[in-house]
């Protein structure tokens, strides 16, 4: 995968997935792939997240698996070692940004203000996660950023649903959206992989 703009072209929706039990990792990933969604942002919010990431990377080659919730350089290194094909952070610090730029995987740094967009641009990256998209201003805010800074491409995430995704996807500076709605906690707890597949199938039909 050459760079982050290629990552954003894989699917109109990047599922943001949190897995408690690594035994769920492979069936969950296969359920998403069966629905036509071939990418996962697996959050590092559980103790076993790296185990799940490794299992998906090794056993579900159809899926491009990346690590989300990267807060520190150490987490970035651990995620890449476990097989992460891209990295996503909810925000940026100078230390985290300079470290991830040394790694050999695409990175989507999180931004929520114009100044943060400019700081990430200065580092040489022009593809970013807009987080938390809904609370930070939604589609109107992204459209406004596009006036002075039209060349940055965003993956907005945070508070987006199947119903609101099209409002973002129609913007010229939005390549895809992220969201956790494809893998509801109740469906994962019940190992209801058919529901995950059907939510993925719906999401895959959105146009970006
Ligand atoms: C993220 O980390 O990107 C968000 O937690 C996902 O937001 P959502 O749960 O509102 O989709």
């Amino acid at each position: 995968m050459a760079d982050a703009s290629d990552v954003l072209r894989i699917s109109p929706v990047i599922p943001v997935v949190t897995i408690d039990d690594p035994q769920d990792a492979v069936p969950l990933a296969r359920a998403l792939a069966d629905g036509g969604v071939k990418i996962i942002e697996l959050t590092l919010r559980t103790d076993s997240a790296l185990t799940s990431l490794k299992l998906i990377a090794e056993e579900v080659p159809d899926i491009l698996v990346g690590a989300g919730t990267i807060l520190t350089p150490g987490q970035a290194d651990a995620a890449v070692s476990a097989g992460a094909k891209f990295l996503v952070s909810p925000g940026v610090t100078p230390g985290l940004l300079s470290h991830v730029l040394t790694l050999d995987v695409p990175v989507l740094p999180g931004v929520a203000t114009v100044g943060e967009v400019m700081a990430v641009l200065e580092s040489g990256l022009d593809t970013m996660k807009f987080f938390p998209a809904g609370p930070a201003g939604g589609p109107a805010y992204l459209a406004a950023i596009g006036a002075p800074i039209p060349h940055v491409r965003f993956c907005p995430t945070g508070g987006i649903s199947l119903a609101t995704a099209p409002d973002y996807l129609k913007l010229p500076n939005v390549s895809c959206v992220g969201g956790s709605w494809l893998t509801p906690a109740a469906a994962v707890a019940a190992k209801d992989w058919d529901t995950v597949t059907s939510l993925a199938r719906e999401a895959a039909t959105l146009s970006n």
Side-chain angles (χ1 to χ4, degrees):
M1 187 58 56
D3 64 28
S5 61
D6 297 321
V7 173
L8 266 51
R9 269 192 283 272
I10 292 175
S11 168
V13 182
I14 298 181
V16 178
V17 176
T18 299
I19 298 176
D20 282 309
D21 182 352
Q23 288 193 356
D24 292 335
V26 167
L28 181 151
R30 289 199 178 120
L32 288 169
D34 287 348
V37 172
K38 305 287 175 72
I39 184 166
I40 290 177
E41 176 193 328
L42 185 70
T43 70
L44 300 193
R45 293 179 205 173
T46 60
D47 290 344
S48 57
L50 290 174
T51 305
S52 295
L53 197 153
K54 197 164 190 290
L55 284 166
I56 296 170
E58 286 173 0
E59 296 187 31
V60 195
D62 277 7
I63 290 268
L64 189 82
V65 62
T69 324
I70 300 287
L71 303 179
T72 65
Q75 285 179 314
D77 290 343
V80 171
S81 299
K85 304 292 189 295
F86 63 97
L87 301 177
V88 187
S89 66
V92 280
T93 66
L96 179 60
L97 195 53
S98 61
H99 182 74
V100 292
L101 287 170
T102 66
L103 303 176
D104 199 20
V105 293
V107 180
L108 277 178
V111 292
T113 68
V114 179
E116 289 164 6
V117 173
M118 291 166 66
V120 173
L121 263 180
E122 256 176 32
S123 79
L125 301 178
D126 60 6
T127 305
M128 308 172 198
K129 165 168 168 156
F130 177 57
F131 178 81
Y141 191 94
L142 274 177
I145 290 179
I149 312 175
H151 53 295
V152 170
R153 291 292 169 272
F154 295 97
C155 174
T157 306
I160 303 178
S161 64
L162 182 72
T164 60
D167 297 337
Y168 291 92
L169 290 168
K170 69 183 180 204
L171 297 173
N173 58 354
V174 169
S175 303
C176 66
V177 302
S180 61
W181 83 84
L182 281 67
T183 52
V188 176
K191 303 189 190 301
D192 178 2
W193 308 127
D194 288 347
T195 290
V196 172
T197 296
S198 84
L199 290 167
R201 194 165 285 134
E202 262 177 345
T205 62
L206 292 166
S207 49
N208 57 344

